[in-house]
Amino acid sequence: MTDTGTHRRTPPATFTSRDPATGRPLAEHPVHGPQDVARAVERGRAAGARWAALPAARRRAHLLSWKRLLASELDAVAASVAAETGKPLRDAELELVLTLEHLSWAARNAGRVLRGRRVRTGLPAANQSASVVHRPLGVVGVIGPWNYPVYTPMGSIGYALAAGNAVVFKPSEYTPGTGVLLARLFETAVPGFTGLFTVVTGAAGTGAALAASGVDKLAFTGSPGTARKVMEVCARSLTPFLAECGGKDAVLVTADADLDAAADAIVWGALGNAGQTCAGVERVYAVRAVHARLCDRVVERARALRPGTGPDAAYGPLTMPGQGDVVRRHVEAALTAGAGAPLGGTDARHGGADAPGAADPAGGPFVAPVVLVDVPEDCPAMTEETFGPTVSINAVADVDEAVRRANASRYALGAAVFCGSRRQGAAIASRLRAGAVSVNSVLGFAAVPALPFGGSGDSGFGRVHGAEGLRAFTAPQSVTVRRFAPPVDLTSFATPAAAKARAVALTRWLHTRR
Ligand code: NAD
C-alpha cells in the first residue's frame, strides 16, 4: 500500500490528526491498507445479510436508537467536529442538528419508500401480476470530506443503512476521529451487528483500496478531481459510483428583493464555515439598480465578522493547510483583472493578535472576509471553487443575464434567488441549472430531509437524501407472477403461427389508431 497519511512522506502504520488552527496533534489513527479494507468489507457482507433480512420496522427501531444516542452525545460529537475542523462549536452543533433530522427521516421512511409496489402489466401480459421491490445492494463504501464530517457522509451512511445495506466508511484524513466516534456510537446503539458499519482510516491509499474492494456501490463526496480518480478505480470492476462534488453556487438578486435579508443570507452563506461549504455562496448576480446598495449591506455585515477560535469567532481557520494559497490566488487574479475589493483584498490573511495562526510563517490559517465586486467572469474567483471566506458580487442588466451567468459554470450544485415575489422566485429557480435552489434563503434545502441533494457537471451526479437518496442504495427488482394461461402465448413454440399473427395484427391496430 502506498498511502502517505496526512503529515508524513513514507508509508506509516499510523497518521496524526491535528487541530487546524494550531497544528497541535489530536490523535494517532491507523492507516488501513487493502487487507484491512477487505476484512471490513467481508465483515460487512456477513452482518449486512442479517441486517437486510430484518423487517423494515426492526431496522427503523435500531437506527432510531442510534439517532437517540447521537442526540444524547451531541456535545461529544460536536466537540470532535470542532476540534478536527476548527469550526466554532455552535456550527458543529448545527451540523449535528441537521444530521439528526436526516437520520430520523431515513429511518422512518425507508420502509414506505422502498416497499414493493404493484405495477400495471399492459395487454400482452394481462395474465401476469407485476411488482417492483427495491432491494439493498449489499456493502456500500462511503468516502467522505472534512468540511462537514458528520452531515455530509451521513447523507450516504444513514440512508444506505436505512435501505438495508452494510457500510464501510473512510472519513477524510483530516477528520478521522469523528468517523470513528460515529461508528463507536453505532455499535453501542445497535448491538449484535458488529461489522455492519465500520470505519477505515487513512488518506488517498485507503480510499483507493475501498474503491477497489468490490463494494456494491461507492458513494464519494469530495472534489471533482478526486472523484475522477476514484471513478477510474470503480470503473475497473464496474462498481456503481455516486459523486457529490464541489460547487460554485450563485445567488441572484432581483430589483424588488429584500436587500437586508439578501445581504444577511449572502454573508452567512459565503463566510460561514470559512466559506468551506460545497453549496456555499461564491457568486452573486444583482441587477444593476440594487447592486451598490446590496454591496454596501454585505460589506457592512461582513466587516463585523472575525475569524478565529473561541466563542466570539464567526468562523474558524481554513482546515486544509494549502487552501490559503488557493484563496489568495483567486483574490489576486480578480484584483489584477480589474475587480474592486470593498472589503479585504491582497492582505486577506488575518494577522490579528488573537489569531493563533498569525505566528505561522505561512501567515496562519485564518482568512478575514473578502468581498469582491465587478469580477471579470473568466477569473478563477468566478470559475473555480474558492472554498474560502470570499464572495464576488457582480452587477447584471436584468434577471435574464443573471440566469445566463449563473448557468455558465461548469459546476451545478445549489443556487439561491432573492426576489420580492415568491412566485417569480420559483419561476427563476426553474430556469437555473442547479440540483437545489432556495428562494429567499440560502441552503434552505439542506434542512429538508425529504429533498434529494446532488448536482451535475463538475458537481457530480446521483442524489443523496430523500426518497431518491434511499433508492440510490438499492437495486430495483422486478417480479412477474403468472396468474393464468394467456389466450395466445407469445413465449411458446407450441402456439400456432396464425394465432401469433392475429396477436400482431391486433397490437398493430391498437397502436396505430388515434
Ligand atoms: P478531497 O477530494 O480532497 O477528498 C475527499 C475524500 O477522498 C477524502 O476522504 C480523501 O482522503 C479521499 N481521497 C483522496 N484521494 C483519493 C483517491 N485517490 N482515492 C480514493 N479516495 C481519495 O475533498 P476534501 O478536500 O476532503 O473535501 C472538499 C471538497 O468536497 C470540496 O470540493 C467540496 O465542495 C466537496 N464537498 C461536496 C459536498 C456535496 O455534497 N456535494 C459536500 C461536502 C464537500
Side-chain angles (χ1 to χ4, degrees):
M1 188 179 129
T2 55
D3 200 315
T4 55
T6 312
H7 303 290
R8 303 183 197 174
R9 294 186 69 81
T10 50
T14 62
F15 67 102
T16 309
S17 59
R18 292 174 190 277
D19 174 342
T22 61
R24 179 177 63 88
L26 294 173
E28 289 287 307
H29 294 273
V31 176
H32 288 124
Q35 287 180 350
D36 305 304
V37 171
R39 260 195 305 277
V41 172
E42 201 180 313
R43 283 178 350 138
R45 221 167 268 302
R50 290 193 294 119
W51 179 249
L54 288 182
R58 293 282 305 284
R59 283 199 296 270
R60 165 191 164 127
H62 283 309
L63 290 173
L64 291 178
S65 300
W66 186 31
K67 183 211 68 168
R68 281 192 293 275
L69 186 59
L70 278 169
S72 60
E73 294 293 325
L74 191 147
D75 290 347
V77 183
S80 171
V81 171
E84 291 191 321
T85 63
K87 68 175 70 175
L89 195 58
R90 63 175 177 280
D91 284 4
E93 288 164 354
L94 173 62
E95 186 178 340
L96 263 294
V97 167
L98 296 180
T99 304
L100 292 170
E101 283 300 314
H102 276 272
L103 182 55
S104 179
W105 191 91
R108 291 179 198 281
N109 287 277
R112 175 186 62 78
V113 169
L114 303 175
R115 77 168 153 246
R117 67 188 157 84
R118 298 278 293 270
V119 297
R120 292 172 72 103
T121 56
L123 189 61
N127 65 317
Q128 310 260 19
S129 70
S131 59
V132 57
V133 61
H134 286 85
R135 299 178 63 92
L137 297 172
V139 183
V140 172
V142 176
I143 296 179
W146 47 264
N147 60 338
Y148 292 90
V150 175
Y151 174 78
T152 292
M154 281 292 285
S156 297
I157 297 165
Y159 287 73
L161 286 168
N165 300 281
V167 171
V168 178
F169 170 41
K170 194 211 82 68
S172 166
E173 59 273 34
Y174 294 100
T175 55
T178 301
V180 169
L181 182 54
L182 284 179
R184 207 168 65 227
L185 293 174
F186 182 85
E187 273 196 31
T188 307
V190 188
F193 281 95
T194 306
L196 184 65
F197 171 35
T198 310
V199 167
V200 290
T201 52
T206 308
L210 184 55
S213 67
V215 287
D216 300 288
K217 185 159 189 170
L218 199 289
F220 169 85
T221 308
S223 57
T226 308
R228 287 185 176 89
K229 290 184 202 160
V230 181
M231 194 172 166
E232 267 182 44
V233 176
C234 288
R236 288 178 211 147
S237 53
L238 288 186
T239 298
F241 182 66
L242 185 155
E244 297 290 342
C245 303
K248 193 73 196 170
D249 289 9
V251 172
L252 285 65
V253 183
T254 65
D256 60 353
D258 176 338
L259 296 184
D260 285 311
D264 198 58
I266 287 166
V267 168
W268 185 81
L271 308 180
N273 202 26
Q276 303 167 118
T277 302
C278 56
V281 176
E282 299 225 353
R283 301 177 289 156
V284 177
Y285 296 108
V287 295
R288 206 171 302 284
V290 297
H291 179 254
R293 278 183 283 147
L294 178 73
C295 289
D296 288 348
R297 284 166 167 79
V298 169
V299 167
E300 184 191 330
R301 285 166 173 78
R303 197 192 297 282
L305 301 182
R306 188 187 68 81
T309 56
D312 297 338
Y315 57 84
L318 295 179
T319 304
M320 276 199 308
Q323 194 60 22
D325 294 337
V326 175
V327 175
R328 192 167 42 197
R329 177 169 62 81
H330 286 194
V331 172
E332 284 175 355
L335 296 179
T336 305
L343 183 66
T346 43
D347 60 345
R349 281 166 182 271
H350 180 71
D354 49 357
D360 187 305
F366 293 92
V367 175
V370 180
V371 178
L372 300 170
V373 295
D374 305 327
V375 186
E377 289 290 323
D378 58 353
C379 283
M382 302 305 282
T383 59
E384 297 173 21
E385 189 178 40
T386 305
F387 233 49
T390 72
V391 61
S392 302
I393 310 179
N394 280 358
V396 288
D398 50 27
V399 167
D400 287 347
E401 186 185 352
V403 168
R404 206 171 55 246
R405 290 194 186 282
N407 287 347
S409 173
R410 63 175 196 267
Y411 291 100
L413 191 56
V417 179
F418 281 84
C419 181
S421 143
R422 289 202 295 268
R423 182 187 292 204
Q424 198 205 342
I428 296 170
S430 72
R431 298 169 61 195
L432 288 171
R433 206 181 120 255
V437 186
S438 310
V439 175
N440 290 340
S441 73
V442 291
L443 288 151
F445 42 82
V448 184
L451 285 176
F453 179 72
S456 59
D458 268 12
S459 295
F461 51 83
R463 293 292 182 270
V464 292
H465 302 168
E468 288 81 356
L470 286 165
R471 290 192 198 106
F473 298 109
T474 64
Q477 185 184 52
S478 302
V479 177
T480 55
V481 176
R482 184 168 141 152
R483 296 183 296 148
F484 53 84
V488 179
D489 191 346
L490 296 175
T491 61
S492 168
F493 287 117
T495 305
K500 285 187 177 172
R502 276 198 301 280
V504 171
L506 174 64
T507 306
R508 189 204 305 263
W509 175 77
L510 280 173
H511 284 281
T512 49
R513 78 201 165 112
R514 287 184 183 273

